[in-house]
Amino acid sequence: MNMLGVAELIDRVKKEDRLSLTEVESKILLSAYGIPVVEEAVVTSEDEAVSRSREMGFPVVLKGHGARLTHKTERGLVKVNLRSVSEIRRAYRQIKASAAEDWEGCLIQPLVEGKREFVAGMFRDAQFGPTVMFGLGGIFTEALDDVAFRIAPLFDAQADALLDEIKSSKLLGDFRGEKVADRAQLRQVLLGLSRLGMEHPEIREVDINPLIVMPDGRVKAVDALVVFEENGAKPVEIGKREEEIEKRAQEIRQALDVAVNAKSVAVVGATRPREYGYPGMFGCMRNYGYAGRLYPVNPKLSDIDGIKAYPNLTALPEPVDLVIVAVPAPFVPDVLRECIATGNKTIHIFTSGFKETGEEAGIRLQEEMKKIALEGGLRVIGPNCMGFYVPKTRLLTWTTAPKESGSVAFVSQSGGNTQDFTNYAARNYGIQFSKAFSYGNALTLDSTDFLDYLAHDDETKIITMYLEGVKDGRRFLKLVSEINRQKPVIIYKGGLSETGALAVSSHTGALAGGEKIWQAFFRQTGAVLVESLEEMADVTLAFHHLGKTRGRKTTVLGFGGGAGVSVADNCAKTGLALPTFSPGLINELRKLIPPAGAMIRNPIDAAVAFVNFNIMGDVLQLLGKTDEIDNIIVSVPLDWLFNEEKGGGYIEKVALYLAGEGRKRAGGKPMVAVWRQYEPRQEIQRWVPVLKNIFLSAGIPVYEGVPRAVNALAKLTAYDAFQAHHNS
Amino acid sequence: MNMLGVAELIDRVKKEDRLSLTEVESKILLSAYGIPVVEEAVVTSEDEAVSRSREMGFPVVLKGHGARLTHKTERGLVKVNLRSVSEIRRAYRQIKASAAEDWEGCLIQPLVEGKREFVAGMFRDAQFGPTVMFGLGGIFTEALDDVAFRIAPLFDAQADALLDEIKSSKLLGDFRGEKVADRAQLRQVLLGLSRLGMEHPEIREVDINPLIVMPDGRVKAVDALVVFEENGAKPVEIGKREEEIEKRAQEIRQALDVAVNAKSVAVVGATRPREYGYPGMFGCMRNYGYAGRLYPVNPKLSDIDGIKAYPNLTALPEPVDLVIVAVPAPFVPDVLRECIATGNKTIHIFTSGFKETGEEAGIRLQEEMKKIALEGGLRVIGPNCMGFYVPKTRLLTWTTAPKESGSVAFVSQSGGNTQDFTNYAARNYGIQFSKAFSYGNALTLDSTDFLDYLAHDDETKIITMYLEGVKDGRRFLKLVSEINRQKPVIIYKGGLSETGALAVSSHTGALAGGEKIWQAFFRQTGAVLVESLEEMADVTLAFHHLGKTRGRKTTVLGFGGGAGVSVADNCAKTGLALPTFSPGLINELRKLIPPAGAMIRNPIDAAVAFVNFNIMGDVLQLLGKTDEIDNIIVSVPLDWLFNEEKGGGYIEKVALYLAGEGRKRAGGKPMVAVWRQYEPRQEIQRWVPVLKNIFLSAGIPVYEGVPRAVNALAKLTAYDAFQAHHNS
């Protein structure tokens, strides 16, 4: 049966107004997509059943066949392991009787034997669309929940990764006398499901259960079910023309570029800034030093602190590059209408009280705004969001932010996180931003639009995101996959847990996907997943300063035995390698480090290296040269070093040595610094900023405590490994 | 067959110099321990096989029987599903032929059918002794590794917990038409294995595989293997007389009490303290202000800074309460001999370079010391350790520590961690210590000895530990179980990961157990597991201030939407409950909180409550009263509050309100405070210590960021739930 057959099948289902294919039909469809299915035949007489079973060879399986037959096992319509003509005849009669008026025939198959049962399938995720599933099958499917996903379309390497991801993937190897599973066939199953999902939006779900790996390694789909969408095909985003998408993207890029470099901004709902407390949107813009033409709009004021105010947008002397809306929620639709009337196209709505409330009034208001915006061709950032941070053009729509411009961008659904993260990254690590966007309820502009803009923004080298849900998951996946090859995309995904997911839907009204689907997203795109703003800053710092790493093999040079054990635990947890040194390397180290109190292992525990810089330098040179190590973490305990000299100046000396000569002697191998400080003494703590500044100025990432350093380095090396693998 | 039969069986094995029981013998043994085994009989003729199978009913299983028969399946000695006399005869002949001279008969059993296969077993863990295992069986055992453990002896509730712990425990319920598994029988299996392990130290391992749950729910051990220790019984710690243990414990408690309150201390290897850098052991003691009689011992010095020095211990005017040894490793054995000669019994050895090096010279030196110590009845803390911290008696054998005395004790294998943790807990949270011990290589005194001492120490209310391995796991388990009911035991276990475990064995030479065994330890004792010193401080703070909690249901009152989503994720991760409010409670809250910009959900996002204390008070009162909530976390964003008033004094007002009136209105419900601060502005940061001090002085735990608060509270409520469950 060829592809024409598939079209016929689907037509037939539509005509008969069914929502699913029969088992036979399902397997015809799968077979057309290259999925190996069990040999089978529909028979309508006992004699035919006998003769077909002779052709197939005993034992066989006999099942009821008919468009209305479901729950076959429960209805006694499945008879397995039939070994003789008499058994077949008996089974045939029993099935026919049990199926009664639903009976249209019997389905006969050879019995597929094999201990290894899997499930495979396709379904449509609300955010990501067609998604392929693979997992452990048989009676344990539900009990063990050992399944994994990939978002379609899949290619070979992703199919392989999906096969390897489940815990029971060991079963695919040589297993208890049964041969290695046929990889090519397994791949065909997954790629076939992927293709089917992409090509047939009217198919909601495909379920292959069991997918049996036979003792000789061959793979067979033994039972299958294909279910259709109740309301016919879903809107086919897949089919949307690339040019159309690109045309819209180009327009939005231009619009955002105009907004980001806005020469004129109107603040609708501008108020006189209070001296303390939240200064209002006009105050935010003015306080940060916006240098363009700033127009407060408020019918009740003639001016704000000497700047002329306007009663409405119509009264403005010009259409502006950006309109900021900060009026109460019920007035927002009218402002949007006025924007259309006055030719103001790009609008940031700060106001909240819409869909995110989960209440009817707010939801309806947002729907009204959406209609206005779409009809009027408005580009809306928000509502319920903080908006823009562009240090270069002094554009800031929240209270405070650093003034320096840098190469990291941040895109966030949450406004609070935008302000917090940009400030935190600056405060803790001196990270500087090119742009930050907070887009809240994403009325017309969503994460994908900002991502696309930043992909084309030359100033931006690293993209960080706080994300709850996405509206167009497929475009998001595609964009992140592409961008991540050039510019690392680091994502803090809120609502990964189920409880979390609940709070997400209440927060911005976006539908958050299940944790396993998001796992698939991260595995497919290679985007870097972090779990807090603090971790995002840690990881961004490593990406910012270290560039490409060569691998995961890392050593820690420090002192204190207990720290050593926790280092090993941390590496094990994050996937960073802490290799055992070769005897040769140990010997070399031994020559440099006197034995007393030192541990010549990995981690290296050698106080003496911190007291004697010649030793430190020699050790770093050795570690820089050896192929056994890709990265060096140096752990500096301030409490101990403080006592080396009056006032603690020795801390600075160590930092300066490591950041200068020490690093040079390590020969450019990626180096990360760690400081630890425990004593409650102000005179030690005051050295912390000094030390951090020395390392950061030298481009060496520096963290409090080994765990954060290990985690950041682990994520950087994993990213590099993904890129090397996927770009090779 | 009764217990006499068991003794006979074991005798027979010894006489025949075997290392394992046959399948039949194994099941006789298990049966004697109340474990339900499959009915079976050994037959030695075809006719007998036929007649026994008729009695049992078809189908049956036939296996080869004989003391030398192993790998039966591979040798073709297992024939299952025999359904007729002719099949039995054929199978009998085949087995006899295949087994050849090893054949002693055939074992016949009814075929036990059931989809649900488990494994159960007993083995001897190097640290914890007899341990019971339960897990998913069948062909997936190795592939899925779904097993869990409990250290023997088990009681009913622990057996139940073990059954529930595996991922596939769902299989024990109603499953695909098969009935709920017989709990009583399953418990019998686990308790039987536990008893067997406790009573027969000569048995190394018991393996029941498969343990089948039949369709009617009954449980049968179908195959079993019992393996003996190669060198006969292991030393039976279990049999050690309780009085003997208690006698030694009492002596050690007294000795430690004398050391802790030492009126005289000698420092062997005392040096003149350097002005900067490590001051040496004598310097440490003097600098901290030790008030007793301090004797420096060094043959090369006549005095140290005016304090008379002695050439050796013999020259001292008295035996001292504590000898501190800080001479190079090779000289330590001689010092120990001198201690014996001079009647000095309690010794802290600071020196390192012994077993922890993993090198032969060090290992041999430590063995020599052990022999001397045991023969001379010495009580040794160390070697390779930091020793003592007792603020009350000004006893400190490391560089710096706070002088205030409190109610938290710390016991640590690692010296670095001891100094770091006590200082960190003091600096960050004002936690004060009763005693801290660092015991390093544990030559004679191990963690259990310090634990036992602290259990009896009235000053100590909470015990914290850093632990790598233990020498007497069984005593440790027993002690922690008992102590933890009165005084929470919080343990940072180093080397839980495999890589970590490697570093542990290199660090102090103790054998660290596998992660799953330690999981069993924590589940059995209810001790609180933490994963870093910082987390230990967080958790200790919650235990210290909050007392008993009523449950896990927690609300977070704060502001900023993004924070809300991460709160839910954090609660989901740690097991703290963040319940959805009832419509009634939402209505009540709505009456108090104006709608604009506020989210009346859990978490509650209401900036207005932080600006208007009346609202805050009313909300807290409502939350204090409702049964829907057990605990309240208040999250205070300093950056926002700073702007409310010139100079940021509003931050202090909020803290003072919450710690005073606010807390009162919450009616004594456990309250935890959180601060968040992101902006890089010194003028905001300077309020952090002010705010922390206000909360801590009021006995309210305060953390940076919601995740740490959630985690600490989750561990406290889990502890309380365990205590309620186990003391009920």
Side-chain angles (χ1 to χ4, degrees):
Chain A
M1 179 161 253
N2 55 23
M3 292 300 283
L4 195 68
V6 171
E8 281 168 358
L9 262 179
I10 290 170
D11 271 356
R12 193 198 298 170
V13 170
K14 276 184 199 154
K15 253 178 233 152
E16 295 177 8
D17 209 20
R18 284 193 272 148
L19 277 181
S20 60
L21 298 182
T22 64
E23 185 180 339
V24 179
E25 291 167 341
S26 295
K27 275 181 276 185
I28 290 172
L29 181 66
L30 295 183
S31 190
Y33 277 87
I35 295 170
V37 300
V38 65
E39 177 190 357
E40 62 190 10
V42 176
V43 294
T44 47
S45 77
E46 266 182 58
D47 289 345
E48 202 187 343
V50 169
S51 70
R52 290 312 293 261
S53 65
R54 282 207 174 108
E55 286 163 35
M56 289 176 177
F58 292 104
V60 297
V61 175
L62 211 60
K63 303 178 183 177
H65 167 70
R68 291 175 305 277
L69 288 183
T70 51
H71 303 291
K72 291 182 197 171
T73 307
E74 291 77 354
R75 286 178 68 181
L77 304 177
V78 179
K79 306 284 177 187
V80 297
N81 203 11
L82 306 175
R83 293 162 170 268
S84 66
V85 170
S86 61
E87 282 183 9
I88 286 171
R89 290 189 182 278
R90 195 181 326 128
Y92 187 95
R93 288 193 295 270
Q94 283 172 350
I95 288 171
K96 194 171 172 184
S98 302
E101 70 271 23
D102 292 340
W103 188 86
E104 297 175 23
C106 278
L107 183 61
I108 188 162
Q109 305 167 337
L111 178 71
V112 176
E113 283 179 291
K115 293 171 191 152
R116 297 172 289 178
E117 295 187 21
F118 294 90
V119 288
M122 187 283 298
F123 75 99
R124 291 181 192 279
D125 180 74
Q127 291 187 97
F128 290 108
T131 300
V132 175
M133 182 265 273
F134 178 72
L136 180 67
I139 60 172
F140 298 130
T141 309
E142 293 92 12
L144 294 177
D145 192 32
D146 184 18
V147 296
F149 300 88
R150 283 293 180 279
I151 298 152
L154 266 69
F155 50 84
D156 276 18
Q158 291 173 328
D160 276 325
L162 177 52
L163 294 169
D164 292 335
E165 189 174 322
I166 61 170
K167 268 176 265 129
S168 43
S169 65
K170 283 181 205 166
L171 301 182
L172 297 175
D174 260 317
F175 182 76
R176 299 203 164 209
E178 300 197 347
K179 287 204 176 139
V180 177
D182 185 327
R183 272 269 154 169
Q185 281 196 322
L186 285 168
R187 237 181 263 129
Q188 269 170 39
V189 172
L190 303 180
L191 296 176
L193 287 167
S194 165
R195 209 148 49 81
L196 204 155
M198 296 297 292
E199 292 176 1
H200 291 285
E202 68 276 25
I203 294 179
R204 197 183 71 193
E205 217 176 307
V206 178
D207 189 29
I208 302 175
N209 188 7
L211 177 77
I212 289 184
V213 178
M214 298 163 73
D216 62 3
R218 277 182 307 148
V219 173
K220 290 275 184 223
V222 172
D223 196 354
L225 178 65
V226 175
V227 179
F228 286 71
E229 293 287 355
E230 279 195 54
N231 306 311
K234 288 252 163 159
V236 194
E237 288 159 19
I238 306 147
K240 229 189 205 173
R241 291 203 327 282
E242 281 295 320
E243 310 98 81
E244 196 183 318
I245 293 174
E246 181 47 31
K247 198 174 149 244
R248 179 179 174 276
Q250 218 165 14
E251 281 170 19
I252 290 175
R253 281 201 297 273
Q254 277 165 7
L256 282 174
D257 213 51
V258 169
V260 152
N261 297 298
K263 299 202 161 37
S264 55
V265 173
V267 178
V268 183
T271 51
R272 225 178 280 287
R274 297 193 284 159
E275 196 176 356
Y276 302 109
Y278 178 64
M281 211 27 99
F282 177 82
C284 290
M285 287 288 288
R286 196 200 51 187
N287 294 350
Y288 189 61
Y290 175 64
R293 297 181 294 279
L294 186 57
Y295 300 111
V297 176
N298 188 331
K300 290 179 190 151
L301 298 173
S302 63
D303 76 285
I304 296 182
D305 299 348
I307 297 174
K308 178 177 161 55
Y310 296 81
N312 48 49
L313 288 171
T314 317
L316 288 188
E318 59 175 341
V320 291
D321 290 339
L322 177 65
V323 175
I324 299 171
V325 180
V327 299
F331 302 107
V332 173
D334 276 344
V335 174
L336 293 186
R337 288 190 192 97
E338 207 194 346
C339 283
I340 296 171
T342 51
N344 285 296
K345 292 281 189 184
T346 305
I347 298 137
H348 158 219
I349 306 175
F350 169 70
T351 312
S352 58
F354 303 99
K355 200 177 173 190
E356 83 282 2
T357 60
E359 288 170 33
E360 226 189 286
I363 294 171
R364 225 181 298 153
L365 214 48
Q366 184 163 334
E367 276 163 14
E368 185 187 348
M369 284 153 56
K370 179 139 196 177
K371 204 161 156 267
I372 298 169
L374 288 179
E375 284 173 1
L378 300 182
R379 285 161 302 245
V380 176
I381 295 98
N384 179 34
C385 79
M386 301 282 278
F388 292 84
Y389 167 35
V390 189
K392 208 176 171 186
T393 55
R394 287 282 185 275
L395 181 62
L396 179 72
T397 51
W398 59 78
T399 321
T400 41
K403 304 220 161 162
E404 300 79 10
S405 196
S407 61
V408 177
F410 183 52
V411 182
S412 172
Q413 206 157 338
S414 151
N417 281 352
T418 313
Q419 177 151 346
D420 290 347
F421 176 64
T422 49
N423 275 307
Y424 176 83
R427 151 154 98 82
N428 218 26
Y429 297 131
I431 292 172
Q432 296 164 350
F433 290 82
S434 56
K435 277 107 192 169
F437 300 107
S438 152
Y439 59 88
N441 294 10
L443 191 74
T444 72
L445 297 192
D446 197 16
S447 52
T448 43
D449 299 309
F450 300 100
L451 257 185
D452 179 65
Y453 173 76
L454 293 170
H456 289 81
D457 177 37
D458 288 340
E459 269 187 306
T460 299
K461 308 293 180 205
I462 296 172
I463 299 175
T464 58
M465 295 187 85
Y466 171 76
L467 189 73
E468 288 165 6
V470 287
K471 303 221 160 150
D472 183 350
R474 299 193 66 75
R475 175 137 198 265
F476 186 65
L477 179 86
K478 189 164 176 280
L479 271 176
V480 172
S481 297
E482 287 166 7
I483 298 170
N484 193 43
R485 288 166 186 245
Q486 308 300 330
K487 303 180 180 183
V489 181
I490 302 169
I491 303 177
Y492 170 22
K493 171 71 183 74
L496 265 190
S497 70
E498 269 189 311
T499 322
L502 203 72
V504 167
S505 77
S506 76
H507 179 45
T508 43
L511 181 68
E515 184 161 3
K516 287 208 169 183
I517 304 290
W518 279 103
Q519 265 172 23
F521 168 84
F522 282 99
R523 286 182 204 245
Q524 281 179 267
T525 59
V528 182
L529 174 64
V530 295
E531 296 187 17
S532 67
L533 298 181
E534 290 77 5
E535 189 192 353
M536 188 148 67
D538 290 353
V539 173
T540 302
L541 182 68
F543 275 81
H544 180 60
H545 283 310
L546 291 184
K548 279 242 175 318
T549 53
R550 273 177 281 185
R552 299 175 191 232
K553 292 175 299 182
T554 301
T555 188
V556 177
L557 174 60
F559 59 96
V565 173
S566 69
V567 169
D569 283 333
N570 289 318
C571 287
K573 230 183 280 177
T574 58
L576 202 66
L578 190 75
T580 306
F581 293 149
S582 70
L585 182 55
I586 290 176
N587 256 333
E588 294 291 311
L589 284 166
R590 231 189 263 286
K591 284 181 207 158
L592 304 175
I593 304 171
M599 295 273 211
I600 315 289
R601 289 200 189 83
N602 194 12
I604 304 168
D605 180 355
V608 66
F610 290 80
V611 179
N612 182 332
F613 293 160
N614 288 329
I615 294 178
M616 176 67 89
D618 289 345
V619 169
L620 287 174
Q621 185 167 337
L622 184 56
L623 295 173
K625 273 186 191 154
T626 175
D627 283 342
E628 297 182 29
I629 290 301
D630 300 315
N631 316 291
I632 303 168
I633 296 176
V634 184
S635 173
V636 184
L638 305 197
D639 298 335
W640 297 86
L641 297 179
F642 178 82
N643 294 320
E644 282 300 313
E645 221 178 88
K646 186 173 182 182
Y650 193 73
I651 290 170
E652 190 175 10
K653 287 184 188 159
V654 170
L656 285 170
Y657 179 81
L658 286 169
E661 180 66 16
R663 187 205 209 182
K664 227 178 281 165
R665 294 198 64 185
K669 198 163 269 192
M671 192 193 271
V672 172
V674 162
W675 58 273
R676 295 181 290 134
Q677 199 283 310
Y678 297 99
E679 287 185 29
R681 290 159 68 187
Q682 208 54 50
E683 64 268 32
I684 307 179
Q685 279 153 42
R686 74 176 192 82
W687 288 103
V688 171
V690 174
L691 167 128
K692 282 175 69 174
N693 188 46
I694 290 169
F695 284 118
L696 292 174
S697 305
I700 298 175
V702 58
Y703 301 96
E704 180 174 6
V706 175
R708 297 176 78 157
V710 163
N711 180 59
L713 197 51
K715 299 221 160 161
L716 173 61
T717 56
Y719 171 87
D720 287 340
F722 182 92
Q723 292 309 325
H725 186 66
H726 283 255
N727 296 332
S728 65
Chain B
M1 180 162 251
N2 55 22
M3 292 301 284
L4 196 68
V6 171
E8 282 168 357
L9 261 180
I10 290 171
D11 271 357
R12 194 200 297 171
V13 170
K14 275 185 198 150
K15 253 180 233 151
E16 296 178 8
D17 210 18
R18 284 194 271 148
L19 278 181
S20 60
L21 297 183
T22 65
E23 184 180 338
V24 179
E25 291 167 340
S26 295
K27 275 181 275 186
I28 291 172
L29 181 66
L30 294 183
S31 191
Y33 276 87
I35 295 170
V37 300
V38 65
E39 177 191 358
E40 60 190 10
V42 175
V43 294
T44 46
S45 77
E46 268 182 56
D47 288 344
E48 201 187 345
V50 168
S51 70
R52 289 311 293 261
S53 63
R54 283 207 173 107
E55 286 164 34
M56 288 175 179
F58 292 103
V60 297
V61 175
L62 211 61
K63 303 177 181 175
H65 167 71
R68 290 176 305 279
L69 287 184
T70 52
H71 304 290
K72 290 183 198 170
T73 307
E74 291 78 354
R75 286 179 66 180
L77 303 177
V78 179
K79 307 282 176 187
V80 297
N81 203 10
L82 306 174
R83 294 163 171 266
S84 66
V85 170
S86 62
E87 282 184 8
I88 287 171
R89 289 190 185 276
R90 197 182 325 131
Y92 187 95
R93 287 193 296 270
Q94 283 172 351
I95 288 170
K96 193 170 172 185
S98 301
E101 70 271 23
D102 292 339
W103 189 88
E104 296 175 23
C106 277
L107 183 61
I108 189 162
Q109 306 167 337
L111 179 69
V112 176
E113 284 180 290
K115 294 171 190 150
R116 299 171 288 179
E117 294 187 22
F118 294 90
V119 287
M122 187 283 297
F123 75 98
R124 291 181 192 280
D125 179 74
Q127 290 186 99
F128 290 108
T131 300
V132 175
M133 182 267 274
F134 177 71
L136 179 67
I139 60 170
F140 298 130
T141 310
E142 294 92 10
L144 293 176
D145 193 31
D146 184 20
V147 296
F149 300 88
R150 284 294 181 278
I151 299 151
L154 265 67
F155 51 85
D156 276 17
Q158 290 174 328
D160 276 326
L162 177 52
L163 294 169
D164 292 336
E165 189 173 322
I166 61 170
K167 269 176 264 130
S168 43
S169 65
K170 285 180 203 166
L171 300 182
L172 297 174
D174 260 319
F175 182 77
R176 300 205 163 207
E178 301 198 347
K179 286 203 177 141
V180 177
D182 185 328
R183 272 268 154 170
Q185 281 196 322
L186 285 169
R187 236 181 263 127
Q188 269 171 38
V189 172
L190 303 181
L191 297 176
L193 286 168
S194 166
R195 208 148 51 81
L196 203 154
M198 296 297 292
E199 292 175 2
H200 290 287
E202 69 276 25
I203 294 179
R204 198 183 71 193
E205 215 176 308
V206 179
D207 188 30
I208 302 176
N209 189 5
L211 178 77
I212 289 184
V213 178
M214 297 163 73
D216 63 4
R218 278 182 306 147
V219 174
K220 289 278 184 223
V222 171
D223 196 353
L225 178 65
V226 175
V227 180
F228 285 72
E229 293 287 356
E230 277 196 55
N231 306 312
K234 287 252 162 156
V236 195
E237 288 157 19
I238 306 148
K240 228 189 207 176
R241 290 203 327 283
E242 281 294 319
E243 311 98 84
E244 195 183 319
I245 292 174
E246 182 48 32
K247 197 173 149 246
R248 179 178 174 275
Q250 218 163 15
E251 282 170 17
I252 289 173
R253 281 202 296 274
Q254 278 164 8
L256 281 175
D257 213 50
V258 169
V260 153
N261 297 298
K263 297 199 162 36
S264 55
V265 172
V267 178
V268 182
T271 52
R272 222 179 283 287
R274 296 194 285 158
E275 195 177 357
Y276 301 109
Y278 177 66
M281 210 30 98
F282 177 82
C284 291
M285 287 287 289
R286 195 201 52 186
N287 294 349
Y288 190 61
Y290 175 66
R293 297 182 295 281
L294 186 58
Y295 301 111
V297 176
N298 186 332
K300 290 181 191 151
L301 298 174
S302 64
D303 77 286
I304 296 183
D305 298 347
I307 298 174
K308 178 178 161 57
Y310 297 81
N312 48 48
L313 288 171
T314 317
L316 289 188
E318 59 176 342
V320 290
D321 290 340
L322 177 65
V323 176
I324 298 171
V325 180
V327 299
F331 302 107
V332 174
D334 275 346
V335 174
L336 292 186
R337 287 190 192 97
E338 208 193 346
C339 282
I340 297 171
T342 52
N344 285 296
K345 290 282 188 183
T346 305
I347 298 137
H348 158 218
I349 306 175
F350 169 71
T351 312
S352 59
F354 303 99
K355 201 177 172 190
E356 83 281 2
T357 60
E359 287 171 33
E360 227 189 284
I363 294 170
R364 225 179 299 153
L365 213 48
Q366 184 164 333
E367 276 163 13
E368 185 187 350
M369 283 153 58
K370 179 138 196 179
K371 202 159 160 268
I372 297 168
L374 289 180
E375 283 173 2
L378 299 182
R379 284 162 302 246
V380 177
I381 294 98
N384 179 34
C385 81
M386 302 282 280
F388 292 85
Y389 166 37
V390 190
K392 209 175 170 186
T393 55
R394 288 281 186 275
L395 180 63
L396 178 73
T397 51
W398 59 78
T399 321
T400 43
K403 303 220 162 162
E404 300 80 9
S405 197
S407 62
V408 177
F410 184 53
V411 182
S412 172
Q413 206 156 338
S414 150
N417 281 351
T418 313
Q419 177 151 345
D420 290 346
F421 176 65
T422 49
N423 275 308
Y424 176 83
R427 150 155 99 82
N428 217 27
Y429 298 129
I431 292 172
Q432 295 164 350
F433 289 82
S434 56
K435 278 106 189 167
F437 300 107
S438 152
Y439 60 87
N441 293 9
L443 191 75
T444 73
L445 297 192
D446 196 17
S447 52
T448 43
D449 299 308
F450 300 101
L451 257 187
D452 179 65
Y453 173 77
L454 293 170
H456 290 81
D457 178 38
D458 289 339
E459 271 187 304
T460 299
K461 307 295 179 203
I462 296 171
I463 300 175
T464 57
M465 294 188 85
Y466 171 76
L467 188 73
E468 288 164 7
V470 288
K471 303 218 161 152
D472 184 349
R474 300 193 64 76
R475 177 138 196 266
F476 185 65
L477 179 87
K478 190 165 177 280
L479 271 176
V480 172
S481 298
E482 287 166 7
I483 297 170
N484 193 45
R485 287 163 186 248
Q486 308 300 330
K487 302 182 181 183
V489 181
I490 302 169
I491 303 177
Y492 171 22
K493 171 71 182 76
L496 265 190
S497 69
E498 270 190 310
T499 323
L502 202 74
V504 167
S505 77
S506 76
H507 180 45
T508 45
L511 180 68
E515 184 161 2
K516 289 207 168 184
I517 304 290
W518 278 102
Q519 264 172 23
F521 169 85
F522 282 99
R523 286 182 202 247
Q524 281 178 268
T525 58
V528 182
L529 174 63
V530 293
E531 295 187 19
S532 67
L533 298 181
E534 290 78 6
E535 189 192 352
M536 187 148 67
D538 290 352
V539 173
T540 302
L541 182 68
F543 275 81
H544 181 59
H545 283 310
L546 291 184
K548 276 241 176 319
T549 53
R550 273 178 282 183
R552 299 176 192 230
K553 291 176 299 182
T554 302
T555 188
V556 177
L557 174 60
F559 60 97
V565 173
S566 69
V567 169
D569 283 333
N570 288 319
C571 287
K573 229 183 282 178
T574 57
L576 203 65
L578 189 76
T580 305
F581 292 149
S582 71
L585 182 55
I586 289 177
N587 256 332
E588 294 291 313
L589 284 166
R590 231 189 263 287
K591 284 181 206 156
L592 304 176
I593 304 172
M599 296 272 211
I600 316 290
R601 291 200 187 81
N602 195 11
I604 305 168
D605 181 354
V608 66
F610 290 82
V611 177
N612 182 332
F613 292 160
N614 288 328
I615 295 178
M616 176 67 89
D618 290 345
V619 170
L620 287 174
Q621 186 166 335
L622 184 56
L623 295 173
K625 274 185 189 155
T626 176
D627 283 342
E628 297 181 29
I629 290 302
D630 301 313
N631 316 291
I632 303 169
I633 297 176
V634 184
S635 174
V636 185
L638 305 197
D639 297 336
W640 298 84
L641 297 178
F642 178 80
N643 293 319
E644 283 298 313
E645 221 178 87
K646 187 173 181 182
Y650 195 73
I651 290 170
E652 188 174 12
K653 288 183 188 159
V654 170
L656 284 170
Y657 179 81
L658 286 169
E661 181 65 17
R663 187 204 207 181
K664 229 178 280 165
R665 296 198 63 188
K669 199 162 269 190
M671 192 194 273
V672 173
V674 162
W675 58 273
R676 295 181 289 133
Q677 199 282 312
Y678 297 100
E679 288 185 28
R681 290 160 66 189
Q682 207 54 50
E683 64 267 32
I684 307 179
Q685 279 153 43
R686 75 176 190 82
W687 288 102
V688 171
V690 175
L691 167 130
K692 284 174 67 173
N693 187 46
I694 290 170
F695 285 117
L696 292 175
S697 303
I700 297 174
V702 57
Y703 300 95
E704 178 172 7
V706 174
R708 297 176 78 157
V710 163
N711 180 60
L713 197 50
K715 299 221 159 161
L716 173 60
T717 57
Y719 171 87
D720 287 340
F722 182 92
Q723 293 309 324
H725 186 68
H726 282 256
N727 296 332
S728 65

